[in-house]
Amino acid sequence: MLIQNEVSRDAAQLVAKCRNAVLATSDAEGHPHSVWMTTQVTTDLEEVISITAPTSQKAAILRSNPQAEWMFASPSMETIVYLSGRTRLIEGDAAKRYWDQMPGKSKAYYRKYCETEDYHKFAVIRTEVSKIVLCRPYAYTKSVLWDKSASATAAAA
């Protein structure tokens, strides 16, 4: 996403300050699942990555339904940014690049399940962001800052 206005910059700055976000998924039967995750987000908000155990509930859900949404919130909850899109699990040697760039691995919650530095024992969750929404709950506003599908439709017209 091209960050070209003050509102987009505010959203990007909020996401950059958040080390953790809520990952929301839904299994094949429509049952929701949400979990706090440590994240790494590109400065253009086009990619979110996190690390999990490949045997986790969220990994199983993402294998059957790759759509996910991440929620980043200011400490006061006055501003919330949602990043959503197609999500995939990356494992094995392909995960190394993401493993190397993830900060704070030694303190991450998933380390309770596996005390190793071997990235082969983990799965990287990678979301290709296709929609960005800025929400200000106290002002009752929600704004779509970017929607890849709307951009594609407009370009085709």
Side-chain angles (χ1 to χ4, degrees):
M1 176 185 90
L2 180 62
I3 299 177
Q4 54 191 347
N5 61 44
E6 186 176 343
V7 175
S8 298
R9 278 190 295 281
D10 288 349
Q13 287 173 354
L14 171 68
V15 170
K17 290 178 185 175
C18 293
R19 296 232 340 120
N20 299 305
V22 174
L23 171 64
T25 58
S26 177
D27 68 17
E29 290 81 38
H31 300 110
H33 178 67
S34 297
V35 63
W36 283 101
M37 302 285 295
T38 301
T39 62
Q40 181 73 25
V41 183
T42 56
T43 57
D44 58 9
L45 304 182
E46 290 185 5
E47 178 183 73
V48 181
I49 63 168
S50 191
I51 298 173
T52 191
T55 56
S56 68
Q57 181 180 2
K58 66 188 141 303
I61 289 172
L62 289 168
R63 285 184 182 98
S64 67
N65 179 5
Q67 293 301 315
E69 182 170 76
W70 295 89
M71 182 181 77
F72 298 83
S74 65
S76 65
M77 300 296 286
E78 289 180 31
T79 305
I80 298 170
V81 176
Y82 298 97
L83 304 179
S84 58
R86 186 165 181 79
T87 303
R88 65 185 180 110
L89 295 174
I90 303 168
E91 299 178 72
D93 289 336
K96 184 172 184 350
R97 174 173 77 100
Y98 298 100
W99 175 265
D100 289 345
Q101 62 183 312
M102 180 60 72
K105 289 186 289 286
S106 64
K107 297 177 183 173
Y109 183 71
Y110 57 81
R111 298 304 291 270
K112 288 184 157 199
Y113 301 103
C114 192
E115 296 274 336
T116 182
E117 286 292 320
D118 183 1
Y119 61 88
H120 290 100
K121 302 216 183 249
F122 297 95
V124 171
I125 297 171
R126 180 186 178 272
T127 301
E128 183 181 327
V129 177
S130 59
K131 188 173 184 179
I132 302 170
V133 176
L134 176 67
C135 180
R136 300 197 191 270
Y138 299 122
Y140 301 105
T141 62
K142 192 178 264 191
S143 307
V144 175
L145 300 182
W146 184 69
D147 187 338
K148 187 176 185 176
S149 63
S151 298
T153 303

